[in-house]
Amino acid sequence: MMRKEIFKNRFVQCMAAVSALVFGQACTDLEPTFTDSVSIESSEGSFGGVASTANSLEALYNNIENLNGQNNEYALMEVAAENIAVLTRGVDWSDNGVWRELHNHTWNPEQLYVLNSWNNRNSQILSATQLLDAASGANASETAQAQVIRAINVAMVLNWFGQVPFRGVNDGVDVDPTVLSPQEAYDLIIGDLTSAINSGNLHTDGPDGDLFTIGEASARFIRAKVNLNSGSFLGSPAAGAMDAVIADVNAIEGLGFALDASAFYFDIFDLTTGNTEVIMALDTSTGQRMFNMIHPNQTGWNGFVTLTETFRLHGTDDPAVDARVGLAGPDFNGLSTGYIRGQQLDGTGAAMNDRQGNALVYEDELLQSLEVNNERTGIRCVKYPQRGGDGFPDPSNNFVFFRFAEALLMRAEATLRGGTGSPNTAVADVNAIRVRAGVAPLGAITLDEMRSEIRKELNTESNIFGQRAVQIRFGTFANTWELKTVQEDFRVLFPIPSTALATNPNLVQNPGY
């Protein structure tokens, strides 16, 4: 039975509009917070295992589902990169400037979302480590899944901060966690993933199977992603990393995953229709990836926009030429999918106004300011069709986490970076994605052109690294883009939060901060 069915009665799903207003605070001592599960000390005071391995694993999954949000980790992955901006409109959406700091690359060691992301992911590394300890007695399946989840969390900390604190299960609060170097952290990630994959204890379902529990395809997807980015972590790619990326994507393909050739492109993101493309989904709301973009009269909160430069990369306003741009007008429940632009209509087809009575028109114009905007400024990007409800958006609990199109893009890029073993050329993999969207195939492709293809296909979809990691891989993160002018190479790493430095002398602040 799928994990979604096993646990669905144990979750209380918060409404997206409420959860967006609540920013969790975690402790910097890396102590875990368990949901319905606690760790146990032995009579000697040492770690005696978790009280319930099933509940501890559920808590780890539940935390991964928090990656559906718009702040913290997503903000670091996307708002700091070249696809997304968060605009202040009148008195709305300032949030003490945290969004502008990320877009402008002016953050410091006190930046809220940097601190929250550090605390969130490091606490989960410890929680996974406790579940994996022999004293907990996790079964083989739980162990393999926990190894993958620990790898996800270590990879995110390494990607953002370049160093990873690691606390042993028997280390007291008076023991300073050791700090893993990039190589040590990379070795831990690959070791966990390889052990889980080779154990035979992850399910091998294809697209018709369990999408809500980590299986072999998900673990291979993550390992490919880590290897593709290994040059960013280590200074140069790990030996054989590009070949390893290709081998993992080939294996995912061998499990039956393929591009979905649905007549409607955005059916990919509607799991009720079924498709061959989604490798892993999260049992959590898709709302924050929609409500953050759309106007209050469309039931949203109207801060996020996609950069106009990103929309214009498609080179067309016509979904018949590129399905990914979507329809200009609503197609479901008064809301379009893709790049939402032009006059907005309600569920009955009537033209909508903003709160001041102006026609609600999202215009294809370059952004002029992060701070001074009307309610209509900016193109929005929504990928989840809103098919339920009664004329208003109605988000589902089927959040697409990994999909095969990204796996193909990873294989194509690894091929361009010197990897061998792909059944296709890089341009063939890219063209499969382009042709599926109705775009004319290319005759050839370069690495420089590869970044544009990634940006067009995966806009807003961050899973564990996001567009920031793409830019670092391609050497463009210090460049300028729409409303961003700061050019400082050291910002490829975020600062270690000041509170973490104060409590662990083994940490060293990253250069430039």
Side-chain angles (χ1 to χ4, degrees):
M1 182 180 291
M2 296 193 303
R3 176 182 166 271
K4 183 178 183 182
E5 293 300 319
I6 294 172
F7 292 126
K8 71 178 181 181
N9 292 326
R10 302 180 62 90
F11 291 131
V12 178
Q13 296 290 350
C14 295
M15 292 181 64
V18 175
S19 64
L21 302 177
V22 180
F23 302 112
Q25 297 295 323
C27 298
T28 58
D29 61 4
L30 310 186
E31 288 297 311
T33 300
F34 288 100
T35 300
D36 199 24
S37 179
V38 294
S39 57
I40 299 174
E41 287 189 358
S42 70
S43 57
E44 294 79 23
S46 60
F47 177 68
V50 300
S52 166
T53 57
N55 289 350
S56 291
L57 182 62
E58 178 187 345
L60 289 171
Y61 270 106
N62 202 22
N63 188 275
I64 291 297
E65 288 164 1
N66 290 340
L67 295 175
N68 76 321
Q70 64 186 9
N71 58 328
N72 300 330
E73 294 90 343
Y74 185 76
L76 268 57
M77 293 186 285
E78 293 296 329
V79 179
E82 62 186 344
N83 281 348
I84 301 296
V86 182
L87 306 184
T88 298
R89 308 174 192 275
V91 297
D92 297 339
W93 274 92
S94 178
D95 288 343
N96 297 315
V98 293
W99 305 104
R100 292 193 295 274
E101 289 171 345
L102 290 173
H103 190 96
N104 289 329
H105 288 206
T106 57
W107 54 76
N108 60 36
E110 282 71 47
Q111 215 281 342
L112 177 63
Y113 296 154
V114 171
L115 172 63
N116 288 348
S117 299
W118 170 271
N119 288 338
N120 293 345
R121 295 305 120 204
N122 277 305
S123 70
Q124 293 306 295
I125 294 171
L126 178 56
S127 295
T129 299
Q130 289 184 318
L131 177 55
L132 288 167
D133 190 78
S136 293
N139 65 38
S141 175
E142 292 168 337
T143 295
Q145 292 173 71
Q147 286 176 315
V148 176
I149 293 176
R150 182 168 70 175
I152 290 172
N153 285 290
V154 174
M156 294 179 84
V157 175
L158 176 60
N159 178 34
W160 294 327
F161 301 102
Q163 52 189 300
V164 180
F166 192 86
R167 183 184 290 279
V169 296
N170 287 309
D171 293 342
V173 294
D174 57 337
V175 176
D176 299 321
T178 60
V179 177
L180 304 181
S181 69
Q183 185 66 59
E184 290 169 333
Y186 170 81
D187 290 343
L188 175 61
I189 297 163
I190 296 299
D192 272 349
L193 292 169
T194 301
S195 176
I197 291 166
N198 292 347
S199 72
N201 295 315
L202 296 174
H203 73 73
T204 57
D205 292 352
D208 294 328
D210 182 357
L211 300 180
F212 295 92
T213 300
I214 290 168
E216 180 183 331
S218 301
R220 288 185 179 277
F221 182 98
I222 296 161
R223 189 169 65 178
K225 203 171 185 75
V226 170
N227 274 318
L228 186 63
N229 286 278
S230 61
S232 301
F233 308 147
L234 305 176
S236 60
M242 297 305 113
D243 288 348
V245 172
I246 292 169
D248 275 331
V249 176
N250 291 348
I252 293 169
E253 195 168 29
L255 290 170
F257 294 95
L259 290 180
D260 186 72
S262 169
F264 180 64
Y265 178 85
F266 294 100
D267 277 345
I268 298 164
F269 301 90
D270 182 358
L271 297 189
T272 65
T273 65
N275 67 76
T276 60
E277 182 159 341
V278 177
I279 295 170
M280 184 175 178
L282 303 179
D283 182 18
T284 191
S285 174
T286 62
Q288 286 202 51
R289 300 296 174 86
M290 174 197 64
F291 288 128
N292 62 359
M293 290 273 182
I294 62 178
H295 189 271
N297 291 348
Q298 297 170 303
T299 68
W301 44 81
N302 204 34
F304 281 57
V305 298
T306 189
L307 297 190
T308 309
E309 291 175 345
T310 303
F311 171 67
R312 291 181 179 178
L313 285 175
H314 292 273
T316 181
D317 191 38
D318 185 351
V321 177
D322 187 339
R324 295 170 296 189
V325 301
L327 298 172
D331 47 13
F332 297 110
N333 261 356
L335 189 68
S336 183
T337 40
Y339 292 89
I340 302 178
R341 57 209 185 273
Q343 173 68 59
Q344 298 302 291
L345 308 178
D346 66 19
T348 70
M352 300 183 73
N353 293 334
D354 68 11
R355 289 176 293 182
Q356 285 73 47
N358 303 296
L360 186 56
V361 177
Y362 300 147
E363 296 181 353
D364 175 11
E365 301 291 343
L366 291 173
L367 302 175
Q368 300 299 312
S369 172
L370 293 172
E371 299 178 77
V372 181
N373 295 278
N374 61 47
E375 295 184 0
R376 307 174 304 281
T377 306
I379 295 174
R380 322 306 165 89
C381 186
V382 172
K383 291 193 168 179
Y384 291 90
Q386 303 302 309
R387 287 178 166 143
D390 54 359
F392 293 97
D394 183 27
S396 72
N397 269 20
N398 295 302
F399 187 91
V400 175
F401 200 39
F402 306 143
R403 64 185 180 98
F404 188 68
E406 185 174 0
L408 278 187
L409 288 168
M410 288 195 289
R411 187 168 74 184
E413 184 181 336
T415 301
L416 290 173
R417 293 186 185 276
T420 59
S422 173
N424 297 332
T425 62
V427 73
D429 279 340
V430 170
N431 279 340
I433 292 169
R434 288 172 63 92
V435 170
R436 187 268 298 274
V439 182
L442 300 170
I445 190 169
T446 66
L447 260 178
D448 286 342
E449 294 165 335
M450 190 74 215
R451 182 170 67 93
S452 176
E453 296 299 320
I454 295 168
R455 192 174 172 188
K456 287 184 290 187
E457 180 67 22
L458 301 180
N459 188 14
T460 76
E461 289 184 48
S462 243
N463 38 56
I464 61 172
F465 288 161
Q467 185 62 21
R468 170 187 169 274
V470 174
Q471 288 189 260
I472 291 171
R473 216 163 58 236
F474 283 84
T476 67
F477 195 61
N479 291 2
T480 61
W481 53 84
E482 199 170 348
L483 297 184
K484 185 264 190 183
T485 59
V486 172
Q487 295 178 275
E488 294 176 325
D489 289 336
F490 70 84
R491 293 187 184 275
V492 295
L493 291 177
F494 289 109
I496 307 298
S498 297
T499 50
L501 289 172
T503 56
N504 185 1
N506 293 327
L507 291 165
V508 177
Q509 185 57 276
N510 286 322
Y513 300 106

